[in-house]
Amino acid sequence: MAELIDGKKISQDLKDEVKAQVSELKAKGVEVTLAVILVGNDPASTVYVGNKKKACEYTGIISKSYELPEETSEDELLKLIDELNDDDSVNGILVQLPLPKQIDEDKVIRRISPDKDVDGFHPESVGRLSIGAKGFVSCTPAGVIELLKRSNTPMDGANAVVVGRSNIVGKPMSVLLLRENATVTICHSHTKNLKEVCKNADILVVAIGQPKFIDGSYIKEGATVIDVGIHRIDGTKKLCGDVDFESAEKIAGKITPVPGGVGPMTIAELMNNCYLSAVMQNS
């Protein structure tokens, strides 16, 4: 049976560290402020924004909330982002995705100042990551690296396979693993012999958005399996990931559960990025 990597505990540790760091900044007269923009009333987005507000409250980060109606125009949203970019009291700006169809998400992401891009989605942030320069890293891949480090999973020299090539998870994940001196393979829908490639992985990160796609037959004995996916099971309240947990945990050495694995790390890393933004803007 695989050892469970406890994302709840590790994320709590990280939030406690951020809380202490934010407190130190406050003692020097520096407040940390995150502006969160929600357009419309998508139920999942509303839950995510609520969780981010709670994490801000816990860590001592000021949360400025902007809840805009569904019919908000692209120009109105861009104007608000410009105002927040110019507001020195705001350290980080987060626009909750997805956005209503009348708004171009790419245009919105590009409008946020790279110095306040705590989601790490701006092309300049992605460029900084790829060349190893200072900047914000997308929160989910950054959280995966922390899970690996804090569960004492060796990355240096390891064979790491990332299944999925999205801009938000797969691509930045591969760069971060390279930074840790892993040998990295990225798989996607056109990969031939996917099972064989996965079975060569010491570290297998799965982020493809398909429930229970990767089962135990894809996993090398003793490998570390990180499941980034999250899905509701057939209209129930139960959740599952991209990995078939029951068969995978019999083969893997370590594995993240869903829920309670990668999910909590994303918000903890967002809080960490907010703290870093305040440090950079006040140095």
Side-chain angles (χ1 to χ4, degrees), residues 8 30 41 46 56 81 85 100 128-129 132 135 182 187 190 193 195 198 201 206-207 210 232 236-237 239-240 254 279:
K8 281 186 183 172
V30 177
N41 51 8
T46 304
C56 282
I81 291 169
N85 281 337
R128 288 175 181 177
L129 170 65
C187 298
H190 293 248
N193 305 319
K195 190 175 284 192
C198 290
V206 188
Q210 292 194 41
R232 215 167 270 297
T236 69
K237 288 192 172 180
L239 299 172
C240 72
K254 296 176 190 171
V279 170

Side-chain angles (χ1 to χ4, degrees), residues 31-226:
E31 294 278 9
V32 183
T33 301
L34 171 67
V36 181
I37 304 171
L38 175 65
V39 185
N41 51 8
D42 177 78
S45 292
T46 304
V47 170
Y48 291 143
V49 166
N51 288 339
K52 286 164 187 174
K53 285 181 189 170
K54 280 181 202 161
C56 282
E57 196 177 332
Y58 181 80
T59 53
I61 292 169
I62 296 165
S63 172
K64 283 189 174 180
S65 188
Y66 299 85
E67 291 171 12
L68 310 178
E70 184 82 23
E71 61 275 11
T72 298
S73 72
E74 184 176 278
D75 283 346
E76 287 170 317
L77 177 55
L78 294 174
K79 184 169 180 275
L80 173 58
I81 291 169
D82 288 341
E83 288 168 7
L84 294 170
N85 281 337
D86 292 337
D87 185 344
D88 289 340
S89 73
V90 172
N91 306 106
I93 302 168
L94 183 150
V95 178
Q96 184 64 47
L97 304 178
L99 290 165
K101 60 182 182 300
Q102 75 272 16
I103 300 173
D104 182 340
E105 285 187 3
D106 185 56
K107 201 181 277 187
V108 168
I109 287 166
R110 288 169 181 266
R111 196 64 159 253
I112 297 168
S113 163
D115 294 330
K116 297 189 179 187
D117 172 37
V118 286
D119 255 338
F121 294 165
H122 192 286
E124 191 170 317
S125 300
V126 176
R128 288 175 181 177
L129 170 65
S130 67
I131 63 168
K134 261 189 181 177
F136 296 110
V137 177
S138 186
C139 300
T140 299
V144 170
I145 293 293
E146 280 302 308
L147 285 176
L148 291 167
K149 283 182 177 175
R150 295 181 189 224
S151 62
N152 299 312
T153 304
M155 289 178 270
D156 196 319
N159 278 331
V161 173
V162 180
V163 188
R165 56 175 169 180
S166 71
N167 290 336
I168 290 172
V169 180
K171 288 176 187 172
M173 190 74 253
S174 63
V175 176
L176 288 174
L177 285 162
L178 274 174
R179 266 196 194 177
E180 300 297 330
N181 299 315
T183 300
V184 183
T185 304
I186 306 173
C187 298
H188 44 79
S189 57
H190 293 248
T191 298
K192 291 174 182 170
N193 305 319
L194 177 64
K195 190 175 284 192
E196 286 81 353
V197 177
C198 290
K199 282 198 88 152
N200 193 40
D202 303 308
I203 298 168
L204 181 62
V205 181
V206 188
I208 49 173
Q210 292 194 41
K212 299 188 179 184
F213 185 86
I214 299 290
D215 62 25
S217 67
Y218 286 75
I219 297 163
K220 173 181 170 181
E221 194 159 338
T224 296
V225 179
I226 306 287

Side-chain angles (χ1 to χ4, degrees), residues 5-11 14 138-148 169 173 204-207 225-230 241 243 255-270:
I5 299 176
D6 188 347
K8 281 186 183 172
K9 184 191 179 302
I10 294 172
S11 69
L14 183 55
S138 186
C139 300
T140 299
V144 170
I145 293 293
E146 280 302 308
L147 285 176
L148 291 167
V169 180
M173 190 74 253
L204 181 62
V205 181
V206 188
V225 179
I226 306 287
D227 188 351
V228 180
I230 187 158
V243 175
I255 191 168
T256 57
V258 176
V262 174
M265 294 302 297
T266 301
I267 289 180
E269 286 292 347
L270 173 65

